[in-house]
Amino acid sequence: MGTAVISVASEKGGVGKSTTAVALASHLSSKGRTLLLDADERLRSAWNWTTKNEGYSWPFTTQIHSEFMAQEGGEEYDYIIIDTKGGEDELIELARNSTLVVIPTKPDGVSADGLVATLQSLMEQNVTNYRVLLTDVPPPPNSDGLDMRLELDNAGVPVFGHTIRHAVAVSKA
């Protein structure tokens, strides 16, 4: 099968990229050997999140992307998850080198603008290996998440069936 490379990317920051990457790495680690790469050299959100508590052992390996790229290897992993930085300049190259690009977005106007920019970049280059993940979706009776899903479905944008609901614990993480 080879190594599946899943990049979590968006041209907008603060939409849940690191949270999605850590949760995805945790989930996939039950299916095979998993590596989480933090490609945000400035913030290192995923790295800090997964290494700050020495008493907790994550079921996957975490590494800084640039350090990983400087060495040989990667074949020993079934899954490599890449947590990218906001405003990803190399989005097209990243998508072409990934099995799947997960694009998290919140169901609000500012996040939607970032999503549109990200999707336009991908569509202009005929990149199709992506799927949108709705994050921080408010509970009913608020319909923002459902409304955004309908808009994306109507536009033919691939969207994950599940969403990440708004939770205080997620924002504190």
Side-chain angles (χ1 to χ4, degrees):
M1 171 180 116
T3 302
V5 178
I6 302 172
S7 297
V8 183
S10 176
E11 292 191 25
K12 165 92 176 63
V15 293
K17 288 186 301 298
S18 297
T19 303
T20 299
V22 170
L24 189 56
S26 187
H27 171 73
L28 290 174
S29 68
S30 68
K31 300 182 180 308
R33 296 159 305 185
T34 303
L35 172 66
L36 172 62
L37 293 177
D38 191 329
D40 188 337
E41 295 291 325
R42 189 174 61 84
L43 293 178
R44 294 187 174 183
S45 297
W47 172 262
N48 290 330
W49 188 356
T50 58
T51 61
K52 70 180 174 185
N53 186 346
E54 293 180 21
Y56 186 81
S57 177
W58 290 89
F60 53 85
T61 303
T62 305
Q63 200 169 358
I64 301 297
H65 186 264
S66 60
E67 294 171 9
F68 174 78
M69 296 305 287
Q71 64 190 22
E72 296 286 329
E75 300 84 19
E76 67 270 18
Y77 295 101
D78 300 304
Y79 302 98
I80 297 177
I81 312 303
I82 304 174
D83 179 28
T84 66
K85 62 183 179 288
E88 186 61 53
D89 294 327
E90 300 86 19
L91 181 62
I92 303 306
E93 182 180 345
L94 182 67
R96 289 198 172 121
N97 292 315
S98 297
T99 308
L100 176 68
V101 178
V102 176
I103 307 169
T105 189
K106 294 180 178 182
D108 63 44
V110 175
S111 298
D113 291 344
L115 176 62
V116 168
T118 302
L119 292 175
Q120 284 176 336
S121 297
L122 293 171
M123 289 178 190
E124 287 171 3
Q125 298 296 319
N126 296 317
V127 174
T128 59
N129 61 329
Y130 65 88
R131 187 171 287 181
V132 173
L133 175 65
L134 294 176
T135 62
D136 201 22
V137 176
N142 186 307
S143 65
D144 291 351
L146 180 59
D147 293 344
M148 186 167 210
R149 174 181 295 287
L150 290 173
E151 289 292 325
L152 292 170
D153 284 344
N154 288 338
V157 175
V159 182
F160 282 99
H162 292 280
T163 62
I164 307 301
R165 67 177 174 80
H166 172 79
V168 174
V170 171
S171 62
K172 287 183 178 181

